[in-house]
Amino acid sequence: MSAALRFGIGGFFCLSAGWYLGGVQLQQTRLTFLSVGQGDCAVIQHKGRTILVDAGPSEQAARWDVMPKLRLLGVTDVDLVLLTHPDLDHIGGIPVLARAFPRATFSMPSAFEKNVDWLDHVREFGLAPNRVKYLPRQMTGDLGDLRIDVYCPEVWPGGSDNDGSMFLRVSEGNASAVLSGDASAEAEAVVAVNGDWSSQIMKAGHHGSRSSSSWEWLSEVKPKWVVVSCGRNNSYGHPHKEVLERAASVHAQLARTDRGDVRFILKGGSFVLESPDHSTESGDAH
């Protein structure tokens, strides 16, 4: 993937992006999609470092779901919180995380740097402006042996904030995962032609809404696993039947956070499902 900005996190200090990654934690690579209700929070652990992708839907969820689960995962410090976009179900837990992890940096796509709603939330959350870093359209970095590719689509005037959602591809050798916030099929189409997004694991866009995870995007990613982050008995009906049918069309296995946390660990060069108690299914509609 061609990068407009390349940053090195191998030494865990990044001047260009303003990220400092420190702390001592578990020395293994693990990707966990937390069950936080109708919202998002994923945990990337690699060689003693921790990055979160989104912050959960509320302070309550962060306090009673995210924090206890981070402790169970052996997380004592969080270095970086990547915020895909400023919808509350992705950023609502920021106040709890900001207090618990005072060194953590919060990164948001630069498309939202002047977003009025986002800036109101920053003030409401008591988040110091110097703790927020805005990411350019495209960048690539390394966290130890882990490569992180970022693409932040442009938000067109009058368009949905969802379509400015940050796309991430996290990879180590043949092990890889793609996360895309609430981006729609239209945003997926833009991103698909900007690099290689093939991955073992794909988080379904927009909590499994039919407006995301298009057949074209699934064909680009070619996932072995599709993970849906959604709340139990949610009022939106997520995941939608159409998404389950599309996942089945690429022979992907399905895992859902409304049935518990979904944990993968890197073994033998691949991500392996680590939560045997988690109910999974083939990607057909049940």
Side-chain angles (χ1 to χ4, degrees):
M1 178 179 294
S2 174
L5 172 64
R6 187 168 187 83
F7 57 94
I9 324 182
F12 307 110
F13 181 69
C14 175
L15 288 173
S16 57
W19 294 354
Y20 172 74
L21 304 184
V24 179
Q25 300 171 354
L26 294 180
Q27 300 297 311
Q28 59 186 147
T29 300
R30 180 190 281 144
L31 172 61
T32 306
F33 299 88
L34 297 182
S35 178
V36 294
Q38 187 68 11
D40 267 294
C41 185
V43 186
I44 302 167
Q45 295 172 271
H46 178 73
K47 293 192 172 180
R49 314 293 170 172
T50 299
I51 296 175
L52 302 185
V53 183
D54 289 324
S58 65
E59 292 188 56
Q60 181 179 9
R63 186 175 297 111
W64 299 109
D65 290 324
V66 177
M67 291 301 301
K69 291 175 180 184
L70 289 178
R71 287 192 288 269
L72 287 173
L73 289 170
V75 173
T76 58
D77 200 9
V78 169
D79 308 290
L80 177 65
V81 183
L82 294 171
L83 302 167
T84 57
H85 65 300
D87 280 3
L88 269 176
D89 57 333
H90 294 253
I91 67 171
I94 286 177
V96 172
L97 297 176
R99 289 192 297 269
F101 306 111
R103 288 193 317 101
T105 296
F106 295 81
S107 291
M108 176 71 74
S110 59
F112 301 110
E113 188 169 2
K114 297 181 180 179
N115 181 281
V116 173
D117 291 338
W118 162 243
L119 294 177
D120 284 345
H121 288 313
V122 170
R123 288 188 288 269
E124 175 191 349
F125 294 158
L127 190 61
N130 63 1
R131 294 189 67 181
V132 182
K133 304 299 179 183
Y134 294 97
L135 305 187
R137 172 74 60 85
Q138 197 167 359
M139 59 195 301
T140 300
D142 302 292
L143 174 62
D145 298 321
L146 205 63
R147 173 179 168 131
I148 303 174
D149 292 306
V150 176
Y151 191 94
C152 303
E154 184 176 355
V155 180
W156 297 98
S160 170
D161 286 352
N162 287 344
D163 285 347
S165 290
M166 181 190 306
F167 282 69
L168 299 170
R169 184 177 188 269
V170 180
S171 59
E172 182 177 345
N174 293 323
S176 52
V178 165
L179 300 87
S180 58
D182 285 352
S184 71
E186 289 75 18
E188 292 169 351
V190 170
V191 175
V193 298
N194 284 280
D196 175 16
W197 293 92
S198 58
S199 289
Q200 285 183 296
I201 302 167
M202 183 190 107
K203 190 182 81 67
H206 205 171
H207 317 287
S209 168
R210 64 176 64 88
S211 63
S212 302
S213 305
S214 67
W215 186 89
E216 290 79 9
W217 180 241
L218 282 157
S219 298
E220 168 67 24
V221 178
K222 303 178 183 69
K224 177 180 178 181
W225 289 95
V226 171
V227 178
V228 180
S229 182
C230 61
R232 186 182 298 273
N233 299 321
N234 66 85
S235 61
Y236 303 97
H238 294 156
H240 288 154
K241 178 182 178 181
E242 293 91 330
V243 172
L244 305 184
E245 291 173 342
R246 293 172 201 155
S249 75
V250 296
H251 309 291
Q253 294 289 302
L254 190 74
R256 302 164 51 153
T257 64
D258 58 345
R259 300 176 180 177
D261 298 341
V262 181
R263 302 188 306 273
F264 294 92
I265 191 166
L266 199 152
K267 288 184 179 179
S270 297
F271 279 119
V272 177
L273 188 69
E274 192 191 26
S275 43
D277 56 329
H278 183 86
S279 175
T280 61
E281 59 193 54
S282 61
D284 55 349
H286 281 69

